[in-house]
Amino acid sequence: MADRSPVPATKGAQTRRAILEAAIGRFGRDGYRSTSVADIARDAGVGGSVAYTYFADKEALFLAALDEDAAALIHEGLTAAFGEPGNSDWPETLLFTLVAAVQRRPLARRLLGGLEPGVTDRVLEIPALAELRKACAERLGTEQLAGTVRSDIDPTVVGNGLVIILLSLLMSIVQLGADVAGPYTGDVRAVFAAALDRRPSPGQPDLGPTA
């Protein structure tokens, strides 16, 4: 029987990973301006110039760290929302998972919180968002075939719009706090249900506002 055990990462890959993780932590805690590549190298346990072997400059390292942290955040959301094929409440699952997960993603939280104005406009260009848009569009298309989502919508367009709404909600929650946004959870669920024309299953409560 063939050995299917994972191939160990090369030393170079391990070093790059250590630098990237240190960058996520340091940038997330102190921000771009207050962080130096030397700080990150020290946190990663490597020499001061080693980071430049893997990243052209501080900005390149920052953007790579941002993409990595955001990708991990979105992966958590995708796993929770689409891990179960029959999860009809996946938009809500996706939102709630992202809200919880962002607390563990310091750099993504910092960006969504508006604390890095120099790159705020890059939020929509995060590579992992393309994967999220595709997943949403595919699920909507599948639900159209199953008759649980209205047939007159373009799943790609609505999937893209859904991602924008989720991102806007996530930014609002990060900036205002979950306690402020929490009371509107039921309203958000009602909007999702109305937009997609999904009907509650027998025995399930209507997706109206919560008390």
Side-chain angles (χ1 to χ4, degrees), residues 68-82 94 97-98 101 105 128 131-132:
E68 183 73 13
D69 207 36
L73 171 66
I74 291 171
H75 178 71
E76 284 196 51
L78 287 172
T79 300
F82 302 122
L94 183 57
T97 302
L98 292 176
R105 299 295 169 188
E131 181 183 358
L132 181 58

Side-chain angles (χ1 to χ4, degrees), residues 141-163:
T142 298
E143 292 185 340
Q144 280 183 321
L145 293 175
T148 55
V149 165
R150 52 191 292 184
S151 61
D152 62 335
I153 64 171
D154 183 324
T156 298
V157 172
V158 174
N160 289 343
L162 181 61
V163 170

Side-chain angles (χ1 to χ4, degrees), residues 127-189:
L129 278 181
E131 181 183 358
L132 181 58
R133 294 187 189 101
K134 180 181 178 183
C136 290
E138 289 178 349
R139 176 55 69 90
L140 289 171
T142 298
E143 292 185 340
Q144 280 183 321
L145 293 175
T148 55
V149 165
R150 52 191 292 184
S151 61
D152 62 335
I153 64 171
D154 183 324
T156 298
V157 172
V158 174
N160 289 343
L162 181 61
V163 170
I164 294 296
I165 292 171
L166 289 170
L167 189 60
S168 298
L169 289 169
L170 190 59
M171 293 177 73
S172 297
I173 290 170
V174 169
Q175 294 182 30
L176 298 177
D179 291 341
V180 174
Y184 299 96
T185 296
D187 300 329
V188 172
R189 296 180 69 208

Side-chain angles (χ1 to χ4, degrees), residues 8 13 24-26 29 48 60 72 84 87 91 97 115 122 131 134 144-145 147 152 159 181 186 199 201 204:
I24 291 171
R26 177 69 74 156
R29 182 174 66 251
E84 295 292 335
N87 179 14
T97 302
L115 299 179
R122 193 177 183 276
E131 181 183 358
K134 180 181 178 183
Q144 280 183 321
L145 293 175
D152 62 335
R199 302 291 187 248
S201 302
Q204 295 295 317

Side-chain angles (χ1 to χ4, degrees), residues 33-60:
R33 291 181 178 275
S34 298
T35 298
S36 70
V37 175
D39 292 331
I40 294 168
R42 184 166 54 253
D43 291 348
V46 300
S49 62
V50 173
Y52 295 109
T53 302
Y54 304 93
F55 305 95
D57 51 29
K58 177 181 171 181
E59 181 180 3

